[in-house]
Amino acid sequence: MSQIELIPAIDIIQGKCVRLTKGDYERKTVYNNDPVEVARQLEAEGFKRLHVVDLDGAKSKHIVNGEILRRISSSTRLTIDFGGGIKSDDDIRQAFDNGASMVTVGSLAATHPDVFIRWMKEYGAERMILGADVRNGLISINGWKEDSGIPLLPFLKDYIDEGVRKVLCTEISKDGTMRGPAIDLYKEIMSHYPQLHLIASGGVSCTEDIEQLEREGIPAVVFGKAYYEGKIDIERLNPSNTDNSNR
């Protein structure tokens, strides 16, 4: 039985379930025209959590696919965290109103830390996931289009000091490549901040990658392309026996 928290991802562009390679919008693969159908299938397979990314929203700097979030939430009992384009009070309210249990916020946390901290106090640290999208050791923002110039570890420390407990860290150079996750990076983060509920994201290619992350003590993992390409052995992972979303 797997103890690592298993979080499949649904990335949305123009209403469809897609995956990008290294965050490149020109290198996308459409896996299903109906994200709601995908979410239902994931629930039927025993998954409890779902990571939904509004890629249109990330690019547009406001939520675009809130209606799809609402449909997924009303059609399943999955615990959903939602990210992409959450830049304003209206955006975060829309995400929660449409059924997200948690939101993942990255770009705004890098550019307007006062707003992120206010939201964390208003909605609670358990509902806020700090998005840390990393390229060459620096935080990347706005759909991975811009380099913030902020180094990863100081970025994390500042927010951990403010009460952040959940971090979704994506190594952009790995994302969508199915070449294995950035295990050394995640181990480094956990060595500095063992109290974190760290969610590893990017590069998962197979069941063995997830098992290796588990052996290294990484609390949670997001995966997408490997699942859609049939590289994940769901019976071996047994997701129905894993529900660590609130630990």
Side-chain angles (χ1 to χ4, degrees), residues 6 45 47 57 76 89 98 101 103 108 120 146 152 154 159 184 188 199 201 204 206 211 221 223 225 228:
L6 304 168
E45 290 172 340
F47 292 101
T76 72
D89 290 340
N98 282 326
S101 297
V103 294
L108 179 132
M120 190 165 57
E146 300 173 35
L152 171 63
Y159 278 112
D184 288 344
E188 181 182 13
I199 305 166
S201 172
V204 170
C206 60
E211 292 172 337
V221 58
F223 49 90
K225 186 173 284 190
Y228 297 113

Side-chain angles (χ1 to χ4, degrees), residues 5 49 79 101-102 126 166 197 243-247:
E5 186 181 7
R49 272 286 299 274
T79 299
S101 297
M102 292 165 273
E126 287 303 305
K166 298 179 180 182
H197 187 76
D243 187 8
N244 302 315
S245 58
N246 294 313
R247 75 178 181 190

Side-chain angles (χ1 to χ4, degrees), residues 5-11 19 38-39 41-43 45-53 78-81 221-225 227-228 232 239:
E5 186 181 7
L6 304 168
I7 312 175
I10 291 178
D11 293 0
R19 293 300 287 176
V38 176
Q41 177 64 32
L42 289 164
E43 183 178 43
E45 290 172 340
F47 292 101
K48 307 293 187 186
R49 272 286 299 274
L50 180 63
H51 177 57
V52 176
V53 183
L78 294 165
T79 299
I80 302 168
D81 78 81
V221 58
V222 164
F223 49 90
K225 186 173 284 190
Y227 170 81
Y228 297 113
I232 301 294

Side-chain angles (χ1 to χ4, degrees), residues 38-76:
V38 176
R40 289 190 185 120
Q41 177 64 32
L42 289 164
E43 183 178 43
E45 290 172 340
F47 292 101
K48 307 293 187 186
R49 272 286 299 274
L50 180 63
H51 177 57
V52 176
V53 183
D54 182 352
L55 288 173
D56 294 313
K59 201 171 185 179
S60 302
K61 302 184 183 181
H62 62 84
I63 289 178
V64 173
N65 289 296
E67 174 62 18
I68 292 176
L69 169 62
R70 187 195 64 76
R71 288 173 52 216
I72 291 174
S73 174
S74 62
S75 300
T76 72

Side-chain angles (χ1 to χ4, degrees), residues 128-144:
M128 300 292 296
I129 301 172
L130 176 64
D133 300 330
V134 186
R135 183 187 283 119
N136 299 323
L138 301 175
I139 297 296
S140 186
I141 59 174
N142 294 330
W144 302 347

